[in-house]
Amino acid sequence: MKRASTLLTWWYLAIGGALTTAGAAASDDRVRWVLELVAVVMVLGTVVAARVRHLLTSSLSLLSAGAVVAFGLSRLLPGDTAASTHLVAVVAGISGYAITLAALFILLDRRGVNVRNGLAADALVVALSAWVIAWPALVQPIIDRWGVSAATVLHSMHQPIASVVLFLVVTLLLDTRNRSVSAWLLGGAITLQVLADLVDDLIDAGHLATGFDRLAMPLGIAAAVCLGGAFLHPSLTTLGRTQSDDQQSTLGRLVVTIGSLSFPVIVLGATSATGTADKVVRTISAISLAVLVTVRVVHTVRANSRSQAALLHGAQTDELTGLPNRNVLLQEITNLLGRSWANDQLPTLFYIDLDRFKNINDSLGHAAGDQVLRLMAHRLRDTAPEAATVAYVSGDEFVVLHPMPSSEDDALAVADELLAVLREPFALDHGDVFISASIGIATISATSSSSPADLVRHADSAMYRAKDEGRGRHAVYEEAMKDRVTHRLAVETALHRATDRGEMRLYHQPILDLFTNEVTGFEALMRWQQADGTIVSPAEFIPIAEDNGVIVSLGKWALLEGLTQLRCWIDEGVCSPRATMSVNVSAHQLREPDFPDTVSEALTRSGVSASLLWLEVTETVMINDAELARTTLTRLSELGVRIALDDFGTGFSSLSLLQKFPLHRIKIDRAFVRGLAESENDRSLVRTIIAMAKALDLDVVAEGVESKAQLDLLRDMKCKKAQGYLISHPVPADAMRTTVAALERIDQFLPLHRGMSTN
């Protein structure tokens, strides 16, 4: 289709070229008149065709047709006939330019050029410059020759408005790097039309002989032909698309505008006034042009100042919260360090981080999370002391820089006030949400040699200490925290190669059947002993592995190692062939698309049946990315692997998880088991969990059993399986034979209830 349209365009231009040549060669005015009429009809046909093919909008189609008709009338009505006819021709020509102006403004606006931002003013400067030139060159000679009339008065508007049209065409061509064929043809059409009218004006002013009117009509025909070609070519659709090159367009407009100011100066300097009226017109025109240029320059300077201020504000302000960003905060700290303050002042940084903010994004969506951040910013601004700077750092982290606390107690009071206001519910579109925050506090001494970035890190370290201590509280930075950060970095670095160096170990905690004293399974637990003998606690390295993603490779190793060990124990008779292996799975592992394949490969390589593998997941893992977790766990269940819900009862959506996910076991969290002997509430909760599991046909394991009283109560509640320090601590693989043998022999503290029903 495009190829056919392109071919048609070139045929049209070829025919138009023949018409133009014929018009230039014809000596009979009637022949030229007919050729002009044919050209007008042809271009009107292309306008209709462009509209039918949806290359032009309705408004642009009507404006284009109106301009063609107006220019056609201006050419077809000869100027040497009756005065009224000549007046109609002049009005038609000016109307054609006015309509063209409207069409060009619409076109530029649709291309993304802001016509209100200086373009109209630049066009006015060009128009007035053209008037200053046209007055002595065309308007005054026409008035002197033909006298003052409606037609001669309108002649004074002819070239200024035509100059504005040319200016907009130049703007259109400068508006994009890739100028289409239609754009060039449109520019050529308007340029030829302006030249044709200029020839007529020069003839009317007496600068050209009347014989030159034979040149004007071919130029008009050529203009119509180019315009028709622009409407036929398929690239016409690109004229209305937003593809501005703002820098190039603005620079081009500036060059054209400045250039247009040069010619009036030259003309006024090269010609002298011929009378009082001429002097008055020249003076008023020059003053008007100077005023207009001054106003335009002032507007430009102000617009640039506003743009720079907006850019500076955007560079220093977070768009979501409207707060100063990290760069502004660091500059404020730098300024504070650069000046002295009174002895009773203790400038303080408060590093604020929302607790479990990710749950808001995951459960309610990022729009709700953004709403929380905006409300958080508003509360901090309202609550922070007047002299303080409130800044947004990143994620869900904010910093308040208070330069005027009188003591550490004063700073702690400010922190308490911030915590209190943040504990109040956040009214979201989804309803009220309660969120706590942790605050790290770092004071700045007058003799501090720390950089602003170091001071922010100090407050950040204190904030993590507050989180470690239970969240929803504040902590003050101490130098020891720096050592903690350094130690964490060292642990994180060493963790990357711990598996390769053979430093990782698996310890196993037996899971016991409380009614047969049979070891029915084991939970694999990672331990890390570094080459120098240093033991790194799982509570320390597991969160770090979660943060940096190393948990994926560690989990893969633990899975294969645990299954391989189970196979050895079964083959060596250490445990029953029905014994199972439980392996913990992290959120990072579930997000891996090939995790089910990893599990399948580990089962194959170890030679262990899928039914002997339990994968333990927490509620948080399933809540944070519910759909992905459901898909992955379903694929694992289809392999024959069984899924256990670890730490059951500590989350807020446990019951819904039991319905939505393919679960086969729930593990009662040690927090409930710990209080069994002392708390009736805990006993009621555990009793309810066991009954619910039985109703749902789920296996149950109680974790953290540490006393005989707890064990007896679990038996009374008909909880079949348990694990904990009373039964066995986690032990290395080579100690499991003796551990299992001891558990199966000892009945002093684990008396068998042979007659008790296990249902």
Side-chain angles (χ1 to χ4, degrees):
M1 184 64 181
K2 288 185 178 180
R3 184 176 180 182
S5 298
T6 303
L7 186 61
L8 179 61
T9 302
W10 300 127
W11 274 108
Y12 178 88
L13 292 175
I15 294 172
L19 282 177
T20 303
T21 303
S27 57
D28 191 338
D29 289 343
R30 288 175 298 180
V31 173
R32 293 200 300 272
W33 189 90
V34 171
L35 293 174
E36 178 77 26
L37 180 62
V38 171
V40 170
V41 174
M42 288 176 60
V43 74
L44 285 175
T46 62
V47 172
V48 173
R51 179 68 191 114
V52 170
R53 293 158 57 203
H54 302 289
L55 300 180
L56 279 179
T57 62
S58 299
S59 58
L60 286 177
S61 298
L62 291 174
L63 290 173
S64 300
V68 169
V69 171
F71 283 127
L73 284 175
S74 70
R75 306 251 23 103
L76 294 172
L77 295 175
D80 57 355
T81 57
S84 59
T85 305
H86 181 57
L87 178 61
V88 172
V90 174
V91 171
I94 293 177
S95 299
Y97 283 120
I99 295 171
T100 304
L101 273 179
L104 288 173
F105 270 116
I106 291 174
L107 197 58
L108 287 168
D109 186 56
R110 290 182 178 175
R111 288 175 68 86
V113 178
N114 190 348
V115 298
R116 301 173 186 83
N117 187 22
L119 181 60
D122 290 341
L124 192 57
V125 170
V126 171
L128 193 51
S129 299
W131 159 258
V132 173
I133 298 171
W135 166 254
L138 296 174
V139 178
Q140 189 180 24
I142 290 174
I143 292 176
D144 292 342
R145 186 178 182 189
W146 302 99
V148 178
S149 65
T152 55
V153 171
L154 288 174
H155 258 298
S156 65
M157 300 169 57
H158 209 179
Q159 288 306 316
I161 194 171
S163 299
V164 174
V165 170
L166 277 178
F167 170 72
L168 293 183
V169 168
V170 171
T171 301
L172 179 67
L173 291 175
L174 291 174
D175 186 44
T176 178
R177 291 190 179 94
N178 301 317
R179 300 173 188 91
S180 64
V181 173
S182 288
W184 285 114
L185 288 173
L186 179 62
I190 293 176
T191 302
L192 289 169
Q193 181 63 43
V194 172
L195 288 175
D197 289 330
L198 180 60
V199 170
D200 282 337
D201 290 343
L202 290 172
I203 293 173
D204 290 340
H207 298 310
L208 293 177
T210 55
F212 278 92
D213 61 353
R214 293 183 59 183
L215 178 62
M217 187 164 283
L219 287 173
I221 295 174
V225 169
C226 288
L227 187 61
F231 290 149
L232 281 179
H233 199 271
S235 64
L236 181 65
T237 54
T238 63
L239 283 180
R241 293 177 184 170
T242 302
Q243 49 182 345
S244 298
D245 183 348
D246 290 337
Q247 184 176 1
Q248 181 177 345
S249 177
T250 303
L251 180 61
R253 278 169 47 195
L254 180 62
V255 171
V256 172
T257 305
I258 293 175
S260 69
L261 292 173
S262 306
F263 294 106
V265 176
I266 295 172
V267 170
L268 292 176
T271 60
S272 57
T274 59
T276 303
D278 189 12
K279 289 180 180 179
V280 171
V281 172
R282 286 169 179 258
T283 302
I284 293 175
S285 300
I287 293 174
S288 300
L289 184 59
V291 170
L292 181 59
V293 170
T294 302
V295 171
R296 180 69 180 103
V297 170
V298 171
H299 176 271
T300 300
V301 171
R302 288 182 174 178
N304 287 339
S305 298
R306 287 193 297 269
S307 297
Q308 290 177 2
L311 288 174
L312 183 61
H313 182 268
Q316 296 180 338
T317 307
D318 173 64
E319 183 178 358
L320 176 64
T321 63
L323 294 178
N325 59 22
R326 183 185 183 89
N327 293 333
V328 175
L329 173 67
L330 294 176
Q331 186 59 50
E332 288 291 328
I333 299 174
T334 300
N335 296 339
L336 184 65
L337 293 174
R339 65 176 185 262
S340 59
W341 56 81
N343 292 331
D344 61 347
Q345 288 181 325
L346 188 65
T348 305
L349 280 169
F350 301 88
Y351 202 107
I352 306 162
D353 182 88
L354 290 174
D355 297 327
R356 299 184 179 89
F357 177 71
K358 189 175 184 299
N359 289 345
I360 297 294
N361 283 328
D362 292 337
S363 59
L364 300 180
H366 288 279
D370 290 345
Q371 193 175 0
V372 168
L373 294 178
R374 286 191 292 267
L375 292 172
M376 175 90 166
H378 181 72
R379 288 190 187 181
L380 290 176
R381 273 196 302 259
D382 290 347
T383 308
E386 185 176 352
T389 298
V390 181
Y392 174 75
V393 181
S394 65
D396 59 336
E397 299 173 345
F398 298 79
V399 172
V400 175
L401 171 61
H402 185 15
M404 302 181 67
S406 58
S407 64
E408 185 173 304
D409 289 339
D410 189 13
L412 293 177
V414 172
D416 287 332
E417 189 175 355
L418 293 173
L419 285 176
V421 75
L422 295 177
R423 289 192 186 104
E424 296 176 4
F426 288 84
L428 306 185
D429 295 338
H430 297 77
D432 288 351
V433 173
F434 290 85
I435 306 175
S436 63
S438 300
I439 300 180
I441 304 171
T443 58
I444 305 173
S445 67
T447 59
S448 174
S449 60
S450 300
S451 67
D454 289 337
L455 293 171
V456 173
R457 279 196 294 271
H458 293 170
D460 187 22
S461 299
M463 181 271 293
Y464 277 107
R465 168 63 64 85
K467 285 188 178 292
D468 291 344
E469 292 177 352
R471 306 177 186 268
R473 61 188 65 201
H474 54 66
V476 179
Y477 174 77
E478 300 171 354
E479 281 299 322
M481 294 182 185
K482 183 177 180 180
D483 297 335
R484 176 178 175 272
V485 173
T486 303
H487 175 69
R488 176 187 170 93
L489 181 60
V491 170
E492 185 172 350
T493 302
L495 189 58
H496 281 278
R497 295 190 177 181
T499 306
D500 295 338
R501 290 194 294 261
E503 296 176 353
M504 301 305 299
R505 304 282 189 274
L506 275 188
Y507 277 48
H508 303 269
Q509 186 172 44
I511 299 174
L512 193 69
D513 186 310
L514 299 185
F515 299 100
T516 65
N517 277 4
E518 180 185 5
V519 174
T520 62
F522 310 90
E523 180 178 359
L525 301 167
M526 276 189 281
R527 297 291 185 266
W528 182 13
Q529 182 175 354
Q530 294 181 304
D532 60 0
T534 303
I535 304 295
V536 184
S537 168
E540 181 177 3
F541 75 81
I542 292 296
I544 295 176
E546 290 274 5
D547 288 342
N548 62 21
V550 176
I551 194 67
V552 174
S553 59
L554 289 180
K556 186 176 182 178
W557 167 83
L559 182 64
L560 180 59
E561 181 74 9
L563 290 174
T564 302
Q565 187 60 64
L566 178 64
R567 180 75 268 164
C568 290
W569 285 337
I570 293 174
D571 292 344
E572 294 171 2
V574 173
C575 61
S576 164
R578 299 184 303 277
T580 62
M581 179 62 67
S582 298
V583 181
N584 291 282
V585 176
S586 72
H588 285 280
Q589 289 174 277
L590 283 184
R591 292 191 196 106
E592 293 292 315
D594 60 347
F595 181 62
D597 296 331
T598 299
V599 173
S600 179
E601 180 184 359
L603 290 168
T604 301
R605 290 178 60 183
S606 63
V608 174
S609 170
S611 62
L612 300 183
L613 173 62
W614 286 94
L615 294 180
E616 297 191 3
V617 296
T618 62
E619 295 180 7
T620 303
V621 168
M622 292 187 283
I623 293 169
N624 286 347
D625 201 339
E627 193 57 40
L628 178 60
R630 184 185 300 112
T631 301
T632 304
L633 293 178
T634 299
R635 289 179 59 191
L636 291 167
S637 183
E638 291 170 351
L639 290 176
V641 174
R642 289 181 287 180
I643 311 299
L645 181 57
D646 200 9
D647 301 334
F648 183 79
T650 58
F652 60 84
S653 58
S654 303
L655 297 180
S656 64
L657 294 178
L658 297 179
Q659 293 178 319
K660 295 178 181 178
F661 292 87
L663 300 174
H664 307 91
R665 168 185 285 176
I666 54 179
K667 301 189 74 174
I668 303 173
D669 188 75
R670 67 185 68 247
F672 302 117
V673 174
R674 186 183 303 118
L676 276 180
E678 298 81 16
S679 171
E680 178 59 35
N681 287 337
D682 285 351
R683 288 194 290 274
S684 297
L685 281 172
V686 172
R687 192 177 292 110
T688 300
I689 292 172
I690 295 170
M692 180 178 59
K694 181 179 179 182
L696 295 174
D697 196 25
L698 296 177
D699 191 41
V700 181
V701 176
E703 297 182 288
V705 178
E706 297 181 358
S707 70
K708 187 173 181 299
Q710 295 169 355
L711 189 71
D712 291 340
L713 285 168
L714 287 171
R715 276 202 178 109
D716 291 341
M717 295 176 185
K718 297 183 173 58
C719 179
K720 187 175 181 181
K721 297 172 184 173
Q723 64 184 99
Y725 288 170
L726 177 67
I727 298 169
S728 172
H729 284 67
V731 297
D734 56 10
M736 189 55 70
R737 179 182 292 277
T738 56
T739 299
V740 171
L743 287 174
E744 291 178 346
R745 286 197 308 269
I746 295 177
D747 58 5
Q748 288 84 358
F749 68 94
L750 299 176
L752 296 179
H753 288 212
R754 298 291 186 184
M756 181 180 290
S757 171
T758 61
N759 295 327

